[in-house]
Amino acid sequence: MRIHGQRWLFRIGNSVVKVDNAFSWTTWTQERLIVNDEVVRQTSGWMRIRQTFTEPWLTMLGEEELRVKLVSRASAIACAATLGEAPLEPDERLSTSWNGGTLSWPAEEGWQPDSERSGGRSWLVRMG
């Protein structure tokens, strides 16, 4: 099965947060939240249009909540992230495609920079 993936990369303090979304045209979707190269949340399923991850986050001022929301649009996937009440902009956006089964992910070197960007705090990736 051909799978298309998007990655939004956030640098928060000394941490690197990766939000990965992947889909196939057979309506399979899978998502994962990676903090410092460790998968902390992962989901998957058929015909899902939104996913939200929340994770406690320790800051210099106390504990906040990292919230990441992925939403399927007519021709794109939108990703919005906040730390507490503050919106976060991704530092990088990457994309890739690969042949694999459900819950497969490409090798790290397979992710390539993606230059398309929308306004506001969401990034969009065209599907196709």
Side-chain angles (χ1 to χ4, degrees), residues 15 25-26 36 38 48 52 65 72 74 85 96 98 100 105 110-111 118 127:
S15 297
W25 293 114
T26 62
N36 296 330
E38 180 183 341
R48 296 172 332 129
T52 302
E65 181 179 78
S72 297
E85 299 296 320
T96 191
W98 70 97
W105 292 98
W111 296 96
S118 74
M127 294 157 80

Side-chain angles (χ1 to χ4, degrees), residues 11-31:
R11 289 179 183 86
I12 306 171
N14 293 330
S15 297
V16 175
V17 176
K18 300 171 187 171
V19 179
D20 293 346
N21 168 264
F23 64 91
S24 73
W25 293 114
T26 62
T27 70
W28 174 258
T29 63
Q30 59 193 44
E31 305 83 23

Side-chain angles (χ1 to χ4, degrees), residues 53-127:
F53 293 120
T54 57
E55 187 71 16
W57 200 267
L58 188 60
T59 69
M60 292 178 63
L61 302 174
E63 191 170 296
E64 296 280 350
E65 181 179 78
L66 173 65
R67 184 177 176 86
V68 177
K69 187 177 192 179
L70 296 166
V71 179
S72 297
R73 305 270 190 233
S75 64
I77 305 295
C79 177
T82 57
L83 182 58
E85 299 296 320
L88 299 173
E89 288 292 332
D91 294 290
E92 292 182 64
R93 193 190 53 189
L94 306 137
S95 61
T96 191
S97 292
W98 70 97
N99 288 317
T102 57
L103 294 180
S104 71
W105 292 98
E108 282 298 309
E109 60 272 8
W111 296 96
Q112 298 297 315
D114 192 307
S115 61
E116 290 195 35
R117 182 174 179 222
S118 74
R121 33 178 220 168
S122 298
W123 290 77
L124 299 177
V125 175
R126 289 192 223 290
M127 294 157 80

